[in-house]
């Protein structure tokens, strides 16, 4: 199911629940009930519940967005390090240089065509990707420089391999969801309490109040969906992109 459809249904469902409960409550209310006589303490509690929940939502959105940005940084760092290796091996003999570049190209092609889908579907990297990266590492580390010029390039190449390895490990660790289950419990429970306070204020069945209550509940549903959408950096909505690989290795996408 498309994510935009999930969002639309969630917002409509939130509006419908509030409207239905309001109408049912209005029908079952006592004849002598006066909605205008809401105790001041309830209004005070409602205000602070809304403030606290807004802070929690803001922190959650900031957290998942930071995780998504960090995931994109890992991709950029890995692609840049591999590109630097591919460029700096030009000082090596032609057969060594071509072998390293071919292995890097094979690795990048696997990442953007196969491993990326695996990260999205299974939240993990592939064993094939590990093997292809290990081959690149062996190509660089096992070569013995035959001149001072090659020796000067050797250590920087090892540093780039280390950088790429660290970025790959970080990418693998960020493929899953970042929000713990207990946080989701708090977010959902907070949404129920916050929307429930609408009824504690004895909302009436006027068009204006029903519209405002529906929009308020739809906004909360949208913010929760936004957190869920950003929570998995490689598989939902505004995901981390493989563009850094494709920009630096144009032929990798097939």
């Amino acid at each position: 199911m498309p994510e935009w459809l999930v969002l639309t249904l969630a917002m409509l469902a939130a509006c419908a629940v509030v409207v239905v409960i309001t109408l049912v409550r209005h029908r079952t209310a006592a004849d002598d009930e006066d909605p205008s006589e809401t105790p001041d303490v309830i209004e005070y509690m409602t205000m602070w519940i809304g403030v606290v929940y807004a802070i929690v939502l803001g922190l959650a959105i900031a957290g998942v967005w930071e995780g998504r940005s960090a995931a994109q940084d890992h991709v950029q760092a890995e692609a840049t390090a591999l590109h630097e290796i591919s460029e700096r091996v030009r000082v090596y003999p032609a057969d060594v240089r071509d072998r390293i570049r071919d292995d890097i190209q094979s690795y990048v092609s696997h990442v953007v065509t196969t491993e990326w889908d695996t990260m999205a579907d299974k939240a993990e990297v592939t064993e094939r990707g590990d093997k292809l990266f290990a081959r690149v590492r062996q190509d660089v580390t096992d070569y013995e420089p035959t001149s001072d010029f090659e020796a000067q390039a050797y250590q920087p190449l090892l540093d780039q391999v280390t950088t790429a390895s660290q970025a790959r490990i970080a990418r693998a660790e960020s493929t899953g969801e970042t929000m713990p289950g207990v946080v989701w419990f708090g977010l959902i429970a907070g949404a129920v309490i916050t929307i429930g306070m609408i009824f504690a204020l004895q909302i009436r069945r006027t068009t204006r109040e029903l519209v405002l209550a529906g929009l308020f509940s739809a906004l909360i549903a949208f913010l929760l969906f936004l957190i869920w959408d950003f929570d998995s950096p490689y598989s939902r909505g505004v995901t981390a992109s493989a563009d850094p690989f494709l920009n630096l290795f144009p032929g990798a996408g097939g």
Side-chain angles (χ1 to χ4, degrees):
M1 183 181 296
E3 293 188 359
W4 65 266
L5 182 57
V6 174
L7 172 60
T8 302
L9 293 176
M11 295 177 67
L12 291 176
C15 292
V17 168
V18 171
V19 172
V20 169
I21 294 178
T22 301
L23 294 176
V24 171
R25 184 179 181 279
H26 182 80
R27 289 176 179 273
T28 58
D31 295 336
D32 58 347
E33 183 182 69
D34 185 3
S36 64
E37 295 182 356
T38 300
D40 292 339
V41 66
I42 293 183
E43 294 182 357
Y44 181 78
M45 291 172 57
T46 302
M47 178 190 70
W48 276 108
I49 288 173
V51 170
V52 171
Y53 189 63
I55 294 173
V56 172
L57 280 176
L59 291 174
I61 292 174
V64 293
W65 178 256
E66 182 180 358
R68 187 265 176 198
S69 299
Q72 187 65 60
D73 291 341
H74 300 327
V75 177
Q76 182 67 55
E78 184 179 2
T80 301
L82 291 172
H83 184 260
E84 284 295 311
I85 296 172
S86 182
E87 293 297 320
R88 294 186 183 191
V89 294
R90 68 181 184 274
V91 303
Y92 283 3
D95 58 332
V96 178
R97 178 186 65 226
D98 293 342
R99 182 176 71 251
I100 293 175
R101 287 179 174 176
D102 289 344
D103 287 343
I104 290 176
Q105 189 72 23
S106 297
Y107 169 74
V108 173
S109 296
H110 174 77
V111 169
V112 300
T113 59
T114 302
E115 190 166 77
W116 211 263
D117 293 335
T118 302
M119 291 192 301
D121 296 337
K122 301 181 180 179
E124 61 183 19
V125 296
T126 62
E127 293 183 4
R128 176 65 176 167
D130 292 336
K131 293 179 180 178
L132 290 174
F133 185 84
R135 184 185 301 171
V136 174
R137 188 203 302 272
Q138 292 172 1
D139 290 341
V140 175
T141 58
D142 292 354
Y143 178 71
E144 296 183 6
T146 58
S147 66
D148 291 340
F149 189 36
E150 293 180 1
Q152 292 175 2
Y154 182 74
Q155 186 58 49
L157 283 170
L158 293 183
D159 293 340
Q160 293 298 326
V161 170
T162 301
T163 300
S165 177
Q166 292 173 342
R168 175 176 173 79
I169 292 172
R171 175 164 61 85
E173 292 176 347
S174 61
T175 54
E177 297 180 352
T178 57
M179 296 285 286
V182 65
V183 176
W184 274 115
F185 174 79
L187 289 173
I188 295 174
V192 172
I193 294 172
T194 302
I195 296 176
M197 292 304 293
I198 294 176
F199 307 108
L201 289 174
Q202 300 180 7
I203 183 174
R204 290 169 291 183
R205 199 178 58 176
T206 64
T207 302
R208 180 180 60 183
E209 291 185 354
L210 286 178
V211 170
L212 290 176
L215 290 177
F216 178 70
S217 59
L219 175 62
I220 290 181
F222 170 75
L223 293 176
L224 290 176
F225 176 85
L226 196 64
I227 295 171
W228 173 82
D229 201 38
F230 287 156
D231 191 29
S232 188
Y234 296 103
S235 62
R236 300 182 193 139
V238 186
T239 61
S241 171
D243 286 347
F245 286 111
L246 297 174
N247 292 337
L248 296 175
F249 301 92

